[in-house]
PDB file of all heavy atoms in Angstrom:
ATOM      1  N   ILE A 399     -20.559 -16.406  -2.560  1.00 96.00           N
ATOM      2  CA  ILE A 399     -19.173 -16.822  -2.345  1.00 96.00           C
ATOM      3  C   ILE A 399     -19.064 -18.340  -2.264  1.00 96.00           C
ATOM      4  O   ILE A 399     -18.110 -18.946  -2.769  1.00 96.00           O
ATOM      5  CB  ILE A 399     -18.608 -16.167  -1.065  1.00 96.00           C
ATOM      6  CG1 ILE A 399     -18.429 -14.653  -1.256  1.00 96.00           C
ATOM      7  CG2 ILE A 399     -17.289 -16.805  -0.647  1.00 96.00           C
ATOM      8  CD1 ILE A 399     -17.430 -14.274  -2.314  1.00 96.00           C
ATOM      9  N   ASN A 400     -20.061 -18.979  -1.659  1.00 96.00           N
ATOM     10  CA  ASN A 400     -20.050 -20.434  -1.510  1.00 96.00           C
ATOM     11  C   ASN A 400     -20.246 -21.170  -2.837  1.00 96.00           C
ATOM     12  O   ASN A 400     -19.998 -22.379  -2.928  1.00 96.00           O
ATOM     13  CB  ASN A 400     -21.132 -20.875  -0.521  1.00 96.00           C
ATOM     14  CG  ASN A 400     -20.807 -20.459   0.902  1.00 96.00           C
ATOM     15  OD1 ASN A 400     -19.638 -20.305   1.259  1.00 96.00           O
ATOM     16  ND2 ASN A 400     -21.830 -20.262   1.720  1.00 96.00           N
ATOM     17  N   LYS A 401     -20.686 -20.458  -3.871  1.00 94.00           N
ATOM     18  CA  LYS A 401     -20.926 -21.078  -5.180  1.00 94.00           C
ATOM     19  C   LYS A 401     -19.712 -21.003  -6.102  1.00 94.00           C
ATOM     20  O   LYS A 401     -19.708 -21.611  -7.173  1.00 94.00           O
ATOM     21  CB  LYS A 401     -22.111 -20.393  -5.875  1.00 94.00           C
ATOM     22  CG  LYS A 401     -23.447 -20.578  -5.177  1.00 94.00           C
ATOM     23  CD  LYS A 401     -24.536 -19.783  -5.905  1.00 94.00           C
ATOM     24  CE  LYS A 401     -25.878 -19.909  -5.198  1.00 94.00           C
ATOM     25  NZ  LYS A 401     -26.928 -19.096  -5.870  1.00 94.00           N
ATOM     26  N   ILE A 402     -18.692 -20.244  -5.719  1.00 95.00           N
ATOM     27  CA  ILE A 402     -17.548 -20.014  -6.605  1.00 95.00           C
ATOM     28  C   ILE A 402     -16.248 -20.416  -5.917  1.00 95.00           C
ATOM     29  O   ILE A 402     -16.236 -20.793  -4.749  1.00 95.00           O
ATOM     30  CB  ILE A 402     -17.468 -18.525  -7.033  1.00 95.00           C
ATOM     31  CG1 ILE A 402     -17.256 -17.633  -5.799  1.00 95.00           C
ATOM     32  CG2 ILE A 402     -18.731 -18.110  -7.781  1.00 95.00           C
ATOM     33  CD1 ILE A 402     -16.990 -16.182  -6.135  1.00 95.00           C
ATOM     34  N   GLN A 403     -15.148 -20.315  -6.675  1.00 94.00           N
ATOM     35  CA  GLN A 403     -13.828 -20.571  -6.113  1.00 94.00           C
ATOM     36  C   GLN A 403     -13.329 -19.322  -5.382  1.00 94.00           C
ATOM     37  O   GLN A 403     -13.458 -18.218  -5.903  1.00 94.00           O
ATOM     38  CB  GLN A 403     -12.839 -20.944  -7.216  1.00 94.00           C
ATOM     39  CG  GLN A 403     -13.208 -22.177  -8.012  1.00 94.00           C
ATOM     40  CD  GLN A 403     -12.200 -22.431  -9.117  1.00 94.00           C
ATOM     41  OE1 GLN A 403     -10.987 -22.324  -8.927  1.00 94.00           O
ATOM     42  NE2 GLN A 403     -12.714 -22.766 -10.299  1.00 94.00           N
ATOM     43  N   VAL A 404     -12.769 -19.522  -4.211  1.00 96.00           N
ATOM     44  CA  VAL A 404     -12.308 -18.387  -3.401  1.00 96.00           C
ATOM     45  C   VAL A 404     -10.941 -18.713  -2.802  1.00 96.00           C
ATOM     46  O   VAL A 404     -10.725 -19.818  -2.300  1.00 96.00           O
ATOM     47  CB  VAL A 404     -13.295 -18.062  -2.262  1.00 96.00           C
ATOM     48  CG1 VAL A 404     -12.766 -16.912  -1.401  1.00 96.00           C
ATOM     49  CG2 VAL A 404     -14.663 -17.723  -2.810  1.00 96.00           C
ATOM     50  N   THR A 405     -10.036 -17.765  -2.881  1.00 96.00           N
ATOM     51  CA  THR A 405      -8.739 -17.889  -2.218  1.00 96.00           C
ATOM     52  C   THR A 405      -8.539 -16.716  -1.279  1.00 96.00           C
ATOM     53  O   THR A 405      -8.579 -15.561  -1.711  1.00 96.00           O
ATOM     54  CB  THR A 405      -7.579 -17.922  -3.233  1.00 96.00           C
ATOM     55  OG1 THR A 405      -7.701 -19.074  -4.061  1.00 96.00           O
ATOM     56  CG2 THR A 405      -6.235 -17.970  -2.509  1.00 96.00           C
ATOM     57  N   HIS A 406      -8.382 -17.021  -0.001  1.00 96.00           N
ATOM     58  CA  HIS A 406      -8.087 -15.974   0.979  1.00 96.00           C
ATOM     59  C   HIS A 406      -6.575 -15.898   1.149  1.00 96.00           C
ATOM     60  O   HIS A 406      -5.951 -16.832   1.650  1.00 96.00           O
ATOM     61  CB  HIS A 406      -8.754 -16.288   2.313  1.00 96.00           C
ATOM     62  CG  HIS A 406      -8.515 -15.232   3.359  1.00 96.00           C
ATOM     63  ND1 HIS A 406      -8.722 -15.448   4.705  1.00 96.00           N
ATOM     64  CD2 HIS A 406      -8.076 -13.950   3.264  1.00 96.00           C
ATOM     65  CE1 HIS A 406      -8.431 -14.353   5.378  1.00 96.00           C
ATOM     66  NE2 HIS A 406      -8.030 -13.429   4.525  1.00 96.00           N
ATOM     67  N   VAL A 407      -5.983 -14.800   0.729  1.00 95.00           N
ATOM     68  CA  VAL A 407      -4.534 -14.615   0.838  1.00 95.00           C
ATOM     69  C   VAL A 407      -4.217 -14.065   2.224  1.00 95.00           C
ATOM     70  O   VAL A 407      -4.557 -12.927   2.550  1.00 95.00           O
ATOM     71  CB  VAL A 407      -4.014 -13.656  -0.253  1.00 95.00           C
ATOM     72  CG1 VAL A 407      -2.508 -13.468  -0.117  1.00 95.00           C
ATOM     73  CG2 VAL A 407      -4.364 -14.190  -1.640  1.00 95.00           C
ATOM     74  N   GLN A 408      -3.596 -14.891   3.035  1.00 92.00           N
ATOM     75  CA  GLN A 408      -3.288 -14.499   4.411  1.00 92.00           C
ATOM     76  C   GLN A 408      -2.159 -13.482   4.442  1.00 92.00           C
ATOM     77  O   GLN A 408      -1.243 -13.503   3.599  1.00 92.00           O
ATOM     78  CB  GLN A 408      -2.882 -15.737   5.227  1.00 92.00           C
ATOM     79  CG  GLN A 408      -3.939 -16.828   5.297  1.00 92.00           C
ATOM     80  CD  GLN A 408      -5.099 -16.455   6.205  1.00 92.00           C
ATOM     81  OE1 GLN A 408      -5.005 -15.497   6.993  1.00 92.00           O
ATOM     82  NE2 GLN A 408      -6.192 -17.208   6.125  1.00 92.00           N
ATOM     83  N   ASP A 409      -2.225 -12.572   5.395  1.00 89.00           N
ATOM     84  CA  ASP A 409      -1.152 -11.598   5.586  1.00 89.00           C
ATOM     85  C   ASP A 409       0.127 -12.318   6.019  1.00 89.00           C
ATOM     86  O   ASP A 409       0.094 -13.436   6.551  1.00 89.00           O
ATOM     87  CB  ASP A 409      -1.532 -10.581   6.663  1.00 89.00           C
ATOM     88  CG  ASP A 409      -2.635  -9.641   6.211  1.00 89.00           C
ATOM     89  OD1 ASP A 409      -2.909  -9.600   4.997  1.00 89.00           O
ATOM     90  OD2 ASP A 409      -3.220  -8.962   7.073  1.00 89.00           O
ATOM     91  N   LEU A 410       1.253 -11.657   5.786  1.00 89.00           N
ATOM     92  CA  LEU A 410       2.511 -12.198   6.279  1.00 89.00           C
ATOM     93  C   LEU A 410       2.506 -12.227   7.808  1.00 89.00           C
ATOM     94  O   LEU A 410       1.990 -11.322   8.452  1.00 89.00           O
ATOM     95  CB  LEU A 410       3.681 -11.336   5.806  1.00 89.00           C
ATOM     96  CG  LEU A 410       4.050 -11.379   4.326  1.00 89.00           C
ATOM     97  CD1 LEU A 410       5.186 -10.397   4.047  1.00 89.00           C
ATOM     98  CD2 LEU A 410       4.441 -12.768   3.891  1.00 89.00           C
ATOM     99  N   THR A 411       3.085 -13.265   8.363  1.00 87.00           N
ATOM    100  CA  THR A 411       3.286 -13.346   9.811  1.00 87.00           C
ATOM    101  C   THR A 411       4.783 -13.256  10.081  1.00 87.00           C
ATOM    102  O   THR A 411       5.603 -13.387   9.166  1.00 87.00           O
ATOM    103  CB  THR A 411       2.741 -14.667  10.373  1.00 87.00           C
ATOM    104  OG1 THR A 411       3.482 -15.766   9.786  1.00 87.00           O
ATOM    105  CG2 THR A 411       1.261 -14.843  10.054  1.00 87.00           C
ATOM    106  N   ASN A 412       5.143 -13.066  11.343  1.00 80.00           N
ATOM    107  CA  ASN A 412       6.563 -13.019  11.690  1.00 80.00           C
ATOM    108  C   ASN A 412       7.265 -14.320  11.326  1.00 80.00           C
ATOM    109  O   ASN A 412       8.443 -14.327  10.974  1.00 80.00           O
ATOM    110  CB  ASN A 412       6.721 -12.742  13.186  1.00 80.00           C
ATOM    111  CG  ASN A 412       6.315 -11.326  13.557  1.00 80.00           C
ATOM    112  OD1 ASN A 412       6.424 -10.406  12.743  1.00 80.00           O
ATOM    113  ND2 ASN A 412       5.843 -11.129  14.777  1.00 80.00           N
ATOM    114  N   GLU A 413       6.505 -15.428  11.389  1.00 81.00           N
ATOM    115  CA  GLU A 413       7.087 -16.744  11.123  1.00 81.00           C
ATOM    116  C   GLU A 413       7.448 -16.924   9.647  1.00 81.00           C
ATOM    117  O   GLU A 413       8.439 -17.578   9.323  1.00 81.00           O
ATOM    118  CB  GLU A 413       6.120 -17.846  11.558  1.00 81.00           C
ATOM    119  CG  GLU A 413       5.939 -18.002  13.077  1.00 81.00           C
ATOM    120  CD  GLU A 413       5.123 -16.863  13.690  1.00 81.00           C
ATOM    121  OE1 GLU A 413       4.322 -16.247  12.948  1.00 81.00           O
ATOM    122  OE2 GLU A 413       5.289 -16.592  14.893  1.00 81.00           O
ATOM    123  N   VAL A 414       6.647 -16.384   8.740  1.00 90.00           N
ATOM    124  CA  VAL A 414       6.890 -16.602   7.300  1.00 90.00           C
ATOM    125  C   VAL A 414       7.562 -15.393   6.627  1.00 90.00           C
ATOM    126  O   VAL A 414       7.970 -15.492   5.474  1.00 90.00           O
ATOM    127  CB  VAL A 414       5.573 -16.937   6.559  1.00 90.00           C
ATOM    128  CG1 VAL A 414       4.924 -18.165   7.156  1.00 90.00           C
ATOM    129  CG2 VAL A 414       4.610 -15.756   6.585  1.00 90.00           C
ATOM    130  N   LYS A 415       7.679 -14.300   7.344  1.00 92.00           N
ATOM    131  CA  LYS A 415       8.269 -13.092   6.744  1.00 92.00           C
ATOM    132  C   LYS A 415       9.711 -13.335   6.305  1.00 92.00           C
ATOM    133  O   LYS A 415      10.117 -12.905   5.207  1.00 92.00           O
ATOM    134  CB  LYS A 415       8.206 -11.926   7.727  1.00 92.00           C
ATOM    135  CG  LYS A 415       8.823 -10.645   7.186  1.00 92.00           C
ATOM    136  CD  LYS A 415       8.505  -9.449   8.080  1.00 92.00           C
ATOM    137  CE  LYS A 415       9.013  -9.627   9.483  1.00 92.00           C
ATOM    138  NZ  LYS A 415       8.788  -8.444  10.328  1.00 92.00           N
ATOM    139  N   ALA A 416      10.488 -14.026   7.122  1.00 91.00           N
ATOM    140  CA  ALA A 416      11.886 -14.290   6.776  1.00 91.00           C
ATOM    141  C   ALA A 416      11.987 -15.114   5.494  1.00 91.00           C
ATOM    142  O   ALA A 416      12.868 -14.868   4.654  1.00 91.00           O
ATOM    143  CB  ALA A 416      12.593 -15.002   7.928  1.00 91.00           C
ATOM    144  N   ASP A 417      11.093 -16.079   5.326  1.00 93.00           N
ATOM    145  CA  ASP A 417      11.091 -16.895   4.100  1.00 93.00           C
ATOM    146  C   ASP A 417      10.766 -16.030   2.883  1.00 93.00           C
ATOM    147  O   ASP A 417      11.352 -16.205   1.806  1.00 93.00           O
ATOM    148  CB  ASP A 417      10.059 -18.031   4.210  1.00 93.00           C
ATOM    149  CG  ASP A 417      10.470 -19.090   5.216  1.00 93.00           C
ATOM    150  OD1 ASP A 417      11.688 -19.211   5.469  1.00 93.00           O
ATOM    151  OD2 ASP A 417       9.592 -19.783   5.743  1.00 93.00           O
ATOM    152  N   PHE A 418       9.809 -15.098   3.045  1.00 95.00           N
ATOM    153  CA  PHE A 418       9.444 -14.196   1.953  1.00 95.00           C
ATOM    154  C   PHE A 418      10.646 -13.338   1.545  1.00 95.00           C
ATOM    155  O   PHE A 418      10.920 -13.159   0.353  1.00 95.00           O
ATOM    156  CB  PHE A 418       8.273 -13.307   2.384  1.00 95.00           C
ATOM    157  CG  PHE A 418       7.784 -12.369   1.315  1.00 95.00           C
ATOM    158  CD1 PHE A 418       6.849 -12.777   0.380  1.00 95.00           C
ATOM    159  CD2 PHE A 418       8.259 -11.061   1.238  1.00 95.00           C
ATOM    160  CE1 PHE A 418       6.393 -11.918  -0.616  1.00 95.00           C
ATOM    161  CE2 PHE A 418       7.816 -10.195   0.249  1.00 95.00           C
ATOM    162  CZ  PHE A 418       6.876 -10.628  -0.674  1.00 95.00           C
ATOM    163  N   ILE A 419      11.365 -12.827   2.538  1.00 95.00           N
ATOM    164  CA  ILE A 419      12.548 -12.004   2.273  1.00 95.00           C
ATOM    165  C   ILE A 419      13.626 -12.819   1.563  1.00 95.00           C
ATOM    166  O   ILE A 419      14.210 -12.391   0.561  1.00 95.00           O
ATOM    167  CB  ILE A 419      13.098 -11.419   3.590  1.00 95.00           C
ATOM    168  CG1 ILE A 419      12.102 -10.417   4.187  1.00 95.00           C
ATOM    169  CG2 ILE A 419      14.460 -10.751   3.373  1.00 95.00           C
ATOM    170  CD1 ILE A 419      12.451  -9.970   5.594  1.00 95.00           C
ATOM    171  N   MET A 420      13.873 -14.022   2.076  1.00 94.00           N
ATOM    172  CA  MET A 420      14.905 -14.881   1.487  1.00 94.00           C
ATOM    173  C   MET A 420      14.560 -15.260   0.050  1.00 94.00           C
ATOM    174  O   MET A 420      15.422 -15.235  -0.841  1.00 94.00           O
ATOM    175  CB  MET A 420      15.091 -16.139   2.334  1.00 94.00           C
ATOM    176  CG  MET A 420      16.129 -17.110   1.763  1.00 94.00           C
ATOM    177  SD  MET A 420      17.787 -16.353   1.610  1.00 94.00           S
ATOM    178  CE  MET A 420      18.404 -16.592   3.274  1.00 94.00           C
ATOM    179  N   ASN A 421      13.305 -15.594  -0.208  1.00 93.00           N
ATOM    180  CA  ASN A 421      12.881 -15.958  -1.566  1.00 93.00           C
ATOM    181  C   ASN A 421      13.071 -14.802  -2.535  1.00 93.00           C
ATOM    182  O   ASN A 421      13.511 -14.987  -3.674  1.00 93.00           O
ATOM    183  CB  ASN A 421      11.417 -16.406  -1.554  1.00 93.00           C
ATOM    184  CG  ASN A 421      11.218 -17.751  -0.890  1.00 93.00           C
ATOM    185  OD1 ASN A 421      12.153 -18.547  -0.795  1.00 93.00           O
ATOM    186  ND2 ASN A 421      10.016 -18.006  -0.420  1.00 93.00           N
ATOM    187  N   PHE A 422      12.734 -13.594  -2.073  1.00 93.00           N
ATOM    188  CA  PHE A 422      12.890 -12.412  -2.930  1.00 93.00           C
ATOM    189  C   PHE A 422      14.364 -12.180  -3.259  1.00 93.00           C
ATOM    190  O   PHE A 422      14.722 -11.930  -4.421  1.00 93.00           O
ATOM    191  CB  PHE A 422      12.297 -11.182  -2.247  1.00 93.00           C
ATOM    192  CG  PHE A 422      12.435  -9.911  -3.041  1.00 93.00           C
ATOM    193  CD1 PHE A 422      11.486  -9.567  -3.995  1.00 93.00           C
ATOM    194  CD2 PHE A 422      13.516  -9.054  -2.846  1.00 93.00           C
ATOM    195  CE1 PHE A 422      11.613  -8.400  -4.746  1.00 93.00           C
ATOM    196  CE2 PHE A 422      13.648  -7.888  -3.582  1.00 93.00           C
ATOM    197  CZ  PHE A 422      12.693  -7.560  -4.537  1.00 93.00           C
ATOM    198  N   LEU A 423      15.219 -12.249  -2.250  1.00 93.00           N
ATOM    199  CA  LEU A 423      16.643 -12.006  -2.463  1.00 93.00           C
ATOM    200  C   LEU A 423      17.262 -13.098  -3.327  1.00 93.00           C
ATOM    201  O   LEU A 423      18.084 -12.819  -4.209  1.00 93.00           O
ATOM    202  CB  LEU A 423      17.366 -11.912  -1.119  1.00 93.00           C
ATOM    203  CG  LEU A 423      17.032 -10.682  -0.261  1.00 93.00           C
ATOM    204  CD1 LEU A 423      17.694 -10.779   1.105  1.00 93.00           C
ATOM    205  CD2 LEU A 423      17.472  -9.403  -0.966  1.00 93.00           C
ATOM    206  N   THR A 424      16.849 -14.347  -3.103  1.00 92.00           N
ATOM    207  CA  THR A 424      17.382 -15.464  -3.890  1.00 92.00           C
ATOM    208  C   THR A 424      17.029 -15.320  -5.363  1.00 92.00           C
ATOM    209  O   THR A 424      17.864 -15.555  -6.249  1.00 92.00           O
ATOM    210  CB  THR A 424      16.842 -16.803  -3.350  1.00 92.00           C
ATOM    211  OG1 THR A 424      17.226 -16.958  -1.975  1.00 92.00           O
ATOM    212  CG2 THR A 424      17.392 -17.969  -4.156  1.00 92.00           C
ATOM    213  N   LYS A 425      15.774 -14.922  -5.639  1.00 91.00           N
ATOM    214  CA  LYS A 425      15.345 -14.725  -7.030  1.00 91.00           C
ATOM    215  C   LYS A 425      16.147 -13.628  -7.722  1.00 91.00           C
ATOM    216  O   LYS A 425      16.269 -13.620  -8.946  1.00 91.00           O
ATOM    217  CB  LYS A 425      13.853 -14.380  -7.068  1.00 91.00           C
ATOM    218  CG  LYS A 425      12.940 -15.551  -6.781  1.00 91.00           C
ATOM    219  CD  LYS A 425      11.477 -15.122  -6.801  1.00 91.00           C
ATOM    220  CE  LYS A 425      10.566 -16.294  -6.482  1.00 91.00           C
ATOM    221  NZ  LYS A 425       9.136 -15.869  -6.438  1.00 91.00           N
ATOM    222  N   ASN A 426      16.675 -12.709  -6.916  1.00 90.00           N
ATOM    223  CA  ASN A 426      17.461 -11.611  -7.472  1.00 90.00           C
ATOM    224  C   ASN A 426      18.963 -11.832  -7.283  1.00 90.00           C
ATOM    225  O   ASN A 426      19.753 -10.871  -7.308  1.00 90.00           O
ATOM    226  CB  ASN A 426      17.032 -10.285  -6.831  1.00 90.00           C
ATOM    227  CG  ASN A 426      15.657  -9.839  -7.301  1.00 90.00           C
ATOM    228  OD1 ASN A 426      15.513  -9.280  -8.379  1.00 90.00           O
ATOM    229  ND2 ASN A 426      14.638 -10.092  -6.496  1.00 90.00           N
ATOM    230  N   ASN A 427      19.334 -13.115  -7.065  1.00 90.00           N
ATOM    231  CA  ASN A 427      20.741 -13.535  -6.981  1.00 90.00           C
ATOM    232  C   ASN A 427      21.507 -12.844  -5.867  1.00 90.00           C
ATOM    233  O   ASN A 427      22.700 -12.528  -6.009  1.00 90.00           O
ATOM    234  CB  ASN A 427      21.442 -13.281  -8.332  1.00 90.00           C
ATOM    235  CG  ASN A 427      20.788 -14.045  -9.473  1.00 90.00           C
ATOM    236  OD1 ASN A 427      20.473 -15.221  -9.345  1.00 90.00           O
ATOM    237  ND2 ASN A 427      20.572 -13.360 -10.596  1.00 90.00           N
ATOM    238  N   CYS A 428      20.820 -12.584  -4.754  1.00 89.00           N
ATOM    239  CA  CYS A 428      21.472 -11.982  -3.586  1.00 89.00           C
ATOM    240  C   CYS A 428      21.798 -13.067  -2.568  1.00 89.00           C
ATOM    241  O   CYS A 428      20.964 -13.917  -2.265  1.00 89.00           O
ATOM    242  CB  CYS A 428      20.570 -10.942  -2.934  1.00 89.00           C
ATOM    243  SG  CYS A 428      20.277  -9.498  -3.950  1.00 89.00           S
ATOM    244  N   VAL A 429      23.018 -13.008  -2.035  1.00 87.00           N
ATOM    245  CA  VAL A 429      23.444 -13.967  -1.017  1.00 87.00           C
ATOM    246  C   VAL A 429      23.468 -13.262   0.333  1.00 87.00           C
ATOM    247  O   VAL A 429      24.021 -12.171   0.472  1.00 87.00           O
ATOM    248  CB  VAL A 429      24.839 -14.532  -1.337  1.00 87.00           C
ATOM    249  CG1 VAL A 429      25.289 -15.503  -0.248  1.00 87.00           C
ATOM    250  CG2 VAL A 429      24.831 -15.219  -2.702  1.00 87.00           C
ATOM    251  N   ILE A 430      22.876 -13.903   1.335  1.00 90.00           N
ATOM    252  CA  ILE A 430      22.796 -13.287   2.667  1.00 90.00           C
ATOM    253  C   ILE A 430      22.851 -14.385   3.723  1.00 90.00           C
ATOM    254  O   ILE A 430      22.312 -15.487   3.519  1.00 90.00           O
ATOM    255  CB  ILE A 430      21.494 -12.451   2.795  1.00 90.00           C
ATOM    256  CG1 ILE A 430      21.503 -11.606   4.058  1.00 90.00           C
ATOM    257  CG2 ILE A 430      20.260 -13.325   2.742  1.00 90.00           C
ATOM    258  CD1 ILE A 430      20.357 -10.604   4.119  1.00 90.00           C
TER     259      ILE A 430
END
Side-chain angles (χ1 to χ4, degrees):
I399 291 297
N400 291 333
K401 295 176 182 178
I402 62 173
Q403 300 178 43
V404 178
T405 297
H406 181 197
V407 180
Q408 301 287 346
D409 290 346
L410 289 177
T411 63
N412 290 331
E413 289 73 25
V414 302
K415 179 169 60 176
D417 290 336
F418 182 86
I419 293 170
M420 178 60 84
N421 289 338
F422 179 86
L423 292 174
T424 301
K425 287 179 181 177
N426 289 280
N427 300 315
C428 293
V429 178
I430 190 171

